[in-house]
């Protein structure tokens, strides 16, 4: 997969995952940084509920990780900590964007350890019963998500 251009992966992640039975929730701007170790990696994406009613992200999993948790970074003085988020409300018409230093998915105990140019599979499950499988491109740690001219990344 290393030979695939990063912008092509973003195009696939930004368009293909919006198709199918997903309750009207589209996923765009998906990316993850190549982790330094196998213990954890962060993934970011944008969820937009365009469905008939409010929904909630209730579970996230990945075949490449022993577990996936939703975290929110919280700053208190000079200290930054991560809080576990059990459920993520997705009101109709209000996009929710994950970003470094804010809301993110934390994948733990990765196997195999993804490298830049690879992709990760993330499975999102919603309270209204729909689920989505998203392929997330892995980029070098610290690179801006819009590198390579990726469409849909703002």
């Amino acid at each position: 997969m290393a030979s695939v251009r990063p912008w092509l992966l973003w195009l696939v992640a930004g368009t293909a995952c919006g198709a199918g039975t997903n309750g009207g929730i589209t996923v765009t701007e998906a990316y993850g940084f190549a982790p330094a170790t196998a213990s954890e990696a962060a993934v970011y994406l944008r969820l937009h509920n365009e469905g008939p009613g409010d929904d909630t992200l209730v579970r996230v999993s990945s075949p490449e990780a022993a577990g996936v948790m939703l975290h929110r970074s919280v700053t208190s003085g000079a200290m930054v900590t991560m809080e576990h988020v059990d459920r993520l409300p997705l009101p109709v018409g209000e996009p929710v964007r994950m970003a470094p230093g804010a809301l993110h998915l934390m994948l733990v105990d990765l196997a195999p350890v993804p490298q830049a140019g690879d992709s990760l599979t993330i499975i999102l499950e919603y309270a209204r019963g729909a689920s989505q499988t998203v392929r997330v491109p892995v980029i070098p740690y610290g690179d801006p998500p819009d590198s390579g001219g990726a469409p849909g990344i703002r």
Side-chain angles (χ1 to χ4, degrees), residues 39-127:
S39 63
E40 57 190 31
V43 167
Y44 311 96
L45 45 86
R46 180 180 181 268
L47 300 162
H48 190 203
N49 183 357
E50 299 169 328
D54 293 348
D55 210 339
T56 303
L57 179 64
V58 294
R59 186 170 188 274
V60 183
S61 60
S62 172
E64 292 101 0
V68 181
M69 296 172 280
L70 181 61
H71 285 162
R72 179 182 327 274
S73 297
V74 177
T75 304
S76 178
M79 187 76 137
V80 177
T81 59
M82 286 186 281
E83 287 182 351
H84 178 74
V85 177
D86 287 323
R87 302 166 63 86
L88 181 63
L90 301 170
V92 171
E94 294 182 29
V96 175
R97 186 174 188 186
M98 297 181 191
L103 197 61
H104 60 278
L105 299 175
M106 183 62 70
L107 284 69
V108 295
D109 297 328
L110 298 154
V113 177
Q115 304 298 313
D118 291 343
S119 62
L120 295 164
T121 301
I122 304 294
I123 302 160
L124 307 168
E125 297 179 34
Y126 304 99

Side-chain angles (χ1 to χ4, degrees), residues 25 42 146 151:
I25 298 172
D146 61 348

